[in-house]
Amino acid sequence: MADTDAFFRTEMLPPKEPPLSQRGVWKWMHENMFSSIGSGALTVLGILFVLYVLASAFPWFAHSVWHADSLRQCRDIVHKTWGPGTDGACWAVIRANWNLYLYGFYPMEQIWRPNLAFLLLLVALSPILFSRLPRKMIWFSACYPALAYWLIWGGTLWISVTIMAGFAVGALVLRFLGRIAGTALGVGGAVLGAVLWWLFVAAPVATALADIVPLHLTFVPSDKLGGFLLSFITGMCGIGFSLPMGILLSLGRRSDMPIIKTSCVLFIEFVRGVPLITLLFTASFLLAYFLPPGTTFDLVLRVIIMVTLFSAAYIAEVIRGGLAAIPRGQFEAADALGLDYWKAQRLIVMPQALKISIPGIVGVFIGLFKDTTLVIIVGLLDPLMGISNAVRANVAWNGVYWEPYIFAATIFFIFCFGMSRYSMYLEGKLKTDHR
């Protein structure tokens, strides 16, 4: 048999690029768009549908008119520029009614007040949304609601100050009574102290301070609010107040105390079982029958309360799902460390539950912000239907249809998409596993 020598390569082969189908755009398209015959067929149909929509809508957008005083003038400009029978978007209606869409019928000479309130809102949200900022800024965030109320509605500043002082009184009662009688009695005493302050002390103190140092802005009634200003007020208040209320409701539903558990279950199931429109009707019309004669209750405040209660019921169920997902060992570990109920919830249980519940909570917030358009049911001018109807009631713009809805939908999309992206950022930031 002839001798054979084994061959061993002594040098490394130069690296080569993977096949074209296994790299770059082609790989992504193969995996996501053409991974099978069905997937490829759906991709082709989807592309054809998108091209059809673009081909149909592009001329309308391309023939846009931004400067005109009426719909007739818009059409004359389109026909003169692109020929008779041509159709185009008349965005001049948005430009001519810009302030109406943003502020409703808010007095023009006072527009600086909601603008300042919006800028301060960004400052107040910064330490809440981004942990790298100084934590001392959270004090401004706590005081912002009173300042925003004074800027938007006006009146004397001392009303807002005394209202915030009620929360300070409640916090002091909780701090001192909680050490002596326990957390439960401390919370009850704090609520009672704050309510007594608001009922009997706040008004005389505000009047006395207003006589000494008059800090006053022109009062703007709630029926002047409208447009995106009204949506922001209703949405931000609902989001800010419904989250802590939802947390308490979720804890109450899991409580071992029958009265608290039954009350929370009845509230959650009742609110989730009726449409939001029903609650808004109740706030607008039926509530007046249960109030003493001559009592006035601001309509926007009633809407905010109902929207907050509605959102809180849904958030409570979302957070309850997060609590149910936490292993039993976490509760036992809190007991082993000797923590009481509230410390265990604050330090161990609730942070994990909220992290799990972030997608559901943000979903409720997005739905809440879009549902602010339902205030048209109670006579308030939302930016989608109320303001659009008011604009079309003007003879100059009678006949405008698509442009107001597209503009309002775009603004809502920007804010809702922003909340969605922040939710994804927060999930990534709080992710502790490395899978």
Side-chain angles (χ1 to χ4, degrees):
M1 177 177 288
D3 295 334
T4 57
D5 296 330
F7 174 76
F8 295 94
R9 185 178 294 277
T10 58
E11 68 278 356
M12 294 293 294
L13 290 174
K16 295 182 179 181
E17 292 186 353
L20 186 63
S21 61
Q22 297 298 319
R23 57 187 169 94
V25 178
W26 297 105
K27 179 183 178 181
W28 181 88
M29 293 178 59
H30 179 268
E31 293 179 349
N32 297 278
M33 302 175 68
F34 300 97
S35 58
S36 63
I37 297 178
S39 176
L42 291 176
T43 298
V44 172
L45 291 176
I47 293 175
L48 292 177
F49 176 76
V50 171
L51 292 177
Y52 171 78
V53 172
L54 292 178
S56 302
F58 178 76
W60 188 75
F61 284 100
H63 302 159
S64 298
V65 177
W66 294 90
H67 299 276
D69 296 327
S70 65
L71 179 60
R72 179 179 294 275
Q73 187 176 357
C74 270
R75 291 173 176 173
D76 291 341
I77 294 174
V78 172
H79 295 164
K80 182 179 180 180
T81 306
W82 288 281
T86 306
D87 195 11
C90 185
W91 300 112
V93 62
I94 305 300
R95 185 174 180 272
N97 299 279
W98 178 258
N99 289 330
L100 189 62
Y101 273 100
L102 291 184
Y103 310 105
F105 295 99
Y106 205 90
M108 292 299 300
E109 66 276 6
Q110 303 291 331
I111 290 296
W112 64 271
R113 288 159 53 179
N115 289 339
L116 179 60
F118 180 75
L119 293 177
L120 294 178
L121 172 64
L122 301 179
V123 178
L125 290 177
S126 298
I128 299 174
L129 300 180
F130 305 102
S131 58
R132 295 182 179 181
L133 295 176
R135 304 311 298 169
K136 291 183 178 180
M137 292 179 61
I138 202 71
W139 289 105
F140 177 78
S141 303
C143 299
Y144 172 78
L147 180 60
Y149 173 84
W150 178 61
L151 285 174
I152 294 175
W153 274 274
T156 176
L157 174 63
W158 299 112
I159 293 179
S160 300
V161 172
T162 52
I163 291 175
M164 297 302 296
F167 292 101
V169 169
L172 292 175
V173 173
L174 175 62
R175 182 176 180 180
F176 291 102
L177 187 60
R179 295 178 178 178
I180 301 174
T183 304
L185 291 178
V187 171
V191 173
L192 179 61
V195 171
L196 292 177
W197 170 272
W198 290 327
L199 291 177
F200 302 106
V201 183
V205 171
T207 303
L209 292 175
D211 294 336
I212 298 173
V213 183
L215 296 175
H216 187 273
L217 289 175
T218 303
F219 177 74
V220 178
S222 294
D223 57 4
K224 299 295 183 181
L225 303 181
F228 285 101
L229 173 62
L230 179 61
S231 292
F232 290 153
I233 292 174
T234 307
M236 292 298 105
C237 291
I239 290 173
F241 295 134
S242 63
L243 180 59
M245 186 178 298
I247 293 175
L248 294 177
L249 286 172
S250 64
L251 294 177
R253 182 159 189 170
R254 292 170 57 91
S255 175
D256 295 329
M257 292 181 279
I259 296 179
I260 294 179
K261 181 176 181 178
T262 303
S263 301
C264 292
V265 170
L266 291 176
F267 174 82
I268 292 173
E269 296 303 329
F270 171 77
V271 173
R272 293 174 70 225
V274 297
L276 178 58
I277 294 178
T278 303
L279 298 179
L280 294 179
F281 268 119
T282 302
S284 178
F285 303 108
L286 299 181
L287 188 62
Y289 292 101
F290 299 96
L291 296 175
T295 302
T296 58
F297 200 170
D298 189 85
L299 180 58
V300 174
L301 179 59
R302 283 182 273 171
V303 169
I304 291 175
I305 292 174
M306 288 301 177
V307 168
T308 301
L309 296 178
F310 184 81
S311 179
Y314 282 87
I315 291 178
E317 289 299 281
V318 172
I319 296 177
R320 188 169 70 93
L323 291 170
I326 299 177
R328 182 64 186 174
Q330 298 293 314
F331 298 90
E332 296 173 351
D335 295 336
L337 292 173
L339 301 178
D340 61 18
Y341 176 81
W342 294 106
K343 285 185 178 180
Q345 294 294 333
R346 181 170 61 89
L347 299 176
I348 296 179
V349 178
M350 195 53 63
Q352 300 181 68
L354 292 178
K355 185 181 74 169
I356 297 172
S357 306
I358 286 176
I361 292 175
V362 175
V364 174
F365 287 165
I366 292 176
L368 168 64
F369 185 64
K370 292 186 294 184
D371 285 344
T372 56
T373 56
L374 296 177
V375 297
I376 190 176
I377 300 298
V378 296
L380 298 175
L381 295 180
D382 71 295
L384 186 62
M385 295 295 296
I387 298 298
S388 297
N389 292 337
V391 169
R392 287 199 299 271
N394 188 345
V395 177
W397 302 109
N398 190 9
V400 172
Y401 186 77
W402 288 105
E403 292 86 346
Y405 296 127
I406 294 176
F407 170 72
T410 302
I411 300 299
F412 274 106
F413 172 79
I414 291 173
F415 281 92
C416 293
F417 182 73
M419 285 190 282
S420 175
R421 298 302 299 180
Y422 177 78
S423 169
M424 298 175 63
Y425 157 78
L426 194 60
E427 288 182 59
K429 181 180 178 181
L430 299 178
K431 186 177 182 180
T432 55
D433 57 345
H434 301 282
R435 292 178 294 178

